Every structure is written in C-alpha cells, then in structure tokens.
C-alpha cells in the first residue's frame, strides 16, 4: 500500500501530466482549508475544479481579447454616462448582455469625434470576448486596405473566411476617408456576407446616414450597404461634447460652450482621430 507521501507526490505528478496546472497550484492550500473548515469531499473537489475552470476561462478570455486587437482595453465601468446624457444606459446595458449577437443585430454608433464611440464599441467587444466569443476590431481604413490588398493578391476568399469566422466584427471610423469604387464594392461584399450569415457588426462613424451616399463612391452601393446594415440594427446617436476636449474646455483653453465638431482632416492631423 502506498504511503501518504508517495500518494501526495504521485498526485502532483499526475496533475502536471494531465495539464491541471491551476489545481496543482492550489491543491495544498485547498487541502489545508478543507481540513480546517471540515469540508465534505464534494465541496473540496468542487473548489479544486472551480479553480481550474476559472483559470482556463481567464486564459481563453485573454487570448480572445489579444486576438481582437482592440486599440485600448476599456470597459463600461470607465464610461461616464453623466458626461454623455444622449447615451441611454439601459440600451448599452442591453447590448452588454450580448443578446444582439445571438439575434445577428448590428450596432451603429454615430457622432462627432471624441464622444466615446470607440470606447463603447471596445467595451461591448471586450464583453463579447469575456463571454468566450471571438471578436475583431479594425478601422475602416485598415479594413479596406486589407481587403484591397487581398483582392489584388488573390487571397480575398481567405480574408473573407477570416472575417466570417469572427463572431463580432467592429469597424471603427467609417467615413473618415472617402471610399473609391473598388473599396466600396469590397466593403459591400463583406457587409453582405455577414448579413447573410446573421453575424453582427459594430460600426462607428462621424457621418450621419444622410451623408453615406457621398462617403461611398456610388450612392447605389451606399444604399445597398445601408440596407443590409440597418435591416436588423440598433443605432446609438451620440450628440454630446468631445470627452477629449473637456479638460481643455474646463481650463479655458477652448471657450466654446457648444459641442466642438472638428472636421475629420483636422482631427487626423492632430493625431487624435477617432
Ligand atoms: P470617438 O471614438 O467618439 O472619437 P473615443 O471613444 O475614442 O471617441 O473617446 C475619446 C477618449 O475619451 C477615449 O480615451 C475614451 O475612453 C474617452 N471617453 C469618451 N467618452 C467618455 C465618457 N463618457 N466617459 C469616459 N471616457 C470617455
Ligand atoms: Mg473613435
């Protein structure tokens, strides 16, 4: 019969062999506290398995968040709703429940620069990753450049397949740069495919829907994109002041009391676009 010392060593060895590294880390302290608290065997086993499962979930979430390529890691906790009264807390909370993903609903965040469009898009994207979904964040400019390159190098299908695999696609800053005919066409194909497969897109833009005709090279493509995008969608129209400029305004550097809406070129030149 194996002595307790032999069993103990073999237990640690087997935990490592099975890749149960978190259990291996906490088993000693869990054994001690189970003895102290006079826990049942079921309770003991349950706390060990919980440790392993939650550590694995955390690792998976981290990987998903890394793969999503968010420009920053911000959650809803750091979003100041009182600064932006046009954003409906209840609506955002509903989006964070991720029901929209299951329903294949798109989310469009509209508003001038600095009002928190990207912050909200990232917060929802992070929530999706934390729930175990795949997400991918890109700016419209990078997306279109990537699609165009893949088209010219004959890898468009692979690229589309990649985007198709993502449960959530976030396209930031649509409308900061006008799209030529080919770019408009490729973007249409992507939106169209996601629409057909019922996969959600979160899109941010500083242009109201009325301006989309001029943003795309062809108003027919613009309306075809809008048609698919808006069929099942939620629009959050943010009509507030730029959060970026709030401290400057407080300090009296900017005297305006009305929202300052910079044209996109100026924002880009100042290096603060989007
Ligand atoms: P937009 O995409 O609309 O141009 P961002 O989401 O990039 O604006 O916001 C600009 C900066 O201000 C970011 O650092 C963001 O976290 C912050 N920000 C914007 N709105 C808020 C808010 N209501 N509460 C807290 N931070 C905010
Ligand atoms: Mg932005």
């Amino acid at each position: 019969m194996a002595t307790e010392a032999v069993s103990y060593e073999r237990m640690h060895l087997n935990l490592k062999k099975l890749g149960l590294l978190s259990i291996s880390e906490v088993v000693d302290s869990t054994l001690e506290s189970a003895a102290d608290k006079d826990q049942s065997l079921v309770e003991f086993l349950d706390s060990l398995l919980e440790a392993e499962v939650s550590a694995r979930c955390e690792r998976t979430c981290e990987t998903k968040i890394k793969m999503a390529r968010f420009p920053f890691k911000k959650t809803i906790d750091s979003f100041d709703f009182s600064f932006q009264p046009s954003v409906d807390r209840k609506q955002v909370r509903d989006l964070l429940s991720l029901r929209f993903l299951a329903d294949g609903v798109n989310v469009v965040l509209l508003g001038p620069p600095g009002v928190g469009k990207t912050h909200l898009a990232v917060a929802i994207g992070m929530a999706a990753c934390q729930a175990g979904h795949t997400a991918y964040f890109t700016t419209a400019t990078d997306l279109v450049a990537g699609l165009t390159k893949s088209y010219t190098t004959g890898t468009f299908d692979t690229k589309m397949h990649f985007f198709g695999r993502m449960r959530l696609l976030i396209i930031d800053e649509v409308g900061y740069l006008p799209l030529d005919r080919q770019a408009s066409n490729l973007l249409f194909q992507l939106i169209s495919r996601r629409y057909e497969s019922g996969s959600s897109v979160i899109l941010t833009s500083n242009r109201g829907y009325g301006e989309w005709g001029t943003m795309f090279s062809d108003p027919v493509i613009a309306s075809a994109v809008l048609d698919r995008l808006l069929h099942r969608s939620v629009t959050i129209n943010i009509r507030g002041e730029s959060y970026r400029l709030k401290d400057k305004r407080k300090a009296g550097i900017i005297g305006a009391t009305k929202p300052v809406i910079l044209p996109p070129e100026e924002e880009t030149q100042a290096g603060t676009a989007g």
Side-chain angles (χ1 to χ4, degrees), residues 34 46 64 74 132 149:
D46 176 51
K64 294 242 158 78
K74 291 208 176 166
K149 190 171 165 212

Side-chain angles (χ1 to χ4, degrees), residues 31 40 49 54 78 94 150 164 182 198 202 204 224 237:
L31 270 169
S40 71
L49 293 173
S54 68
S78 60
D94 189 45
S150 72
Q182 190 186 42
I202 298 181
T204 83
N237 214 334

Side-chain angles (χ1 to χ4, degrees), residues 70-244:
F70 296 120
F72 46 69
K73 284 189 195 172
K74 291 208 176 166
T75 64
I76 208 62
D77 297 339
S78 60
F79 191 83
D80 181 358
F81 282 93
S82 61
F83 183 80
Q84 216 58 271
S86 65
V87 178
D88 180 358
R89 270 175 214 252
K90 223 176 109 227
Q91 193 177 29
V92 173
R93 213 177 312 128
D94 189 45
L95 291 171
L96 290 165
S97 78
L98 306 176
R99 212 155 34 109
F100 78 99
L101 276 185
D103 298 341
V105 167
N106 297 320
V107 180
V108 184
L109 295 150
L110 300 178
V115 294
K117 301 184 297 296
T118 305
H119 187 138
L120 287 173
V122 168
I124 299 167
M126 295 262 294
C129 290
Q130 274 151 1
H133 298 298
T134 47
Y136 191 77
F137 180 103
T138 177
T139 62
T141 309
D142 286 350
L143 175 67
V144 162
L147 289 175
T148 307
K149 190 171 165 212
S150 72
Y151 187 73
T152 49
T153 55
T155 55
F156 185 68
D157 282 346
T158 315
K159 196 90 183 161
M160 291 295 261
H161 183 69
F162 169 80
F163 289 124
R165 277 191 1 246
M166 296 297 151
R167 186 70 195 272
L168 174 64
L169 177 65
I170 302 174
I171 310 175
D172 199 27
E173 297 177 1
V174 174
Y176 276 81
L177 290 175
L179 302 168
D180 65 24
R181 194 170 181 82
Q182 190 186 42
S184 302
N185 242 316
L186 297 176
L187 191 61
F188 165 72
Q189 286 194 48
L190 177 65
I191 298 291
S192 188
R193 282 227 203 155
R194 288 196 72 85
Y195 171 73
E196 277 154 25
S197 63
S199 312
S200 301
V201 174
I202 298 181
L203 191 147
T204 83
S205 180
N206 60 340
R207 309 254 176 233
Y209 294 129
E211 295 174 74
W212 282 44
T214 52
M215 186 167 99
F216 286 82
S217 64
D218 179 346
V220 177
I221 300 181
S223 76
V225 169
L226 277 177
D227 189 51
R228 281 149 186 82
L229 201 62
L230 302 186
H231 181 205
R232 290 184 299 264
S233 68
V234 170
T235 299
I236 297 182
N237 214 334
I238 312 178
R239 295 171 302 274
E241 296 192 26
S242 166
Y243 195 83
R244 289 197 190 97

Side-chain angles (χ1 to χ4, degrees), residues 26-40 43-44 47-48:
V26 301
V27 68
D28 291 349
S29 57
T30 312
L31 270 169
E32 264 177 46
S33 77
D36 286 349
K37 292 184 206 155
D38 205 15
Q39 271 182 338
S40 71
E43 284 171 322
F44 167 70
S47 51
L48 280 186

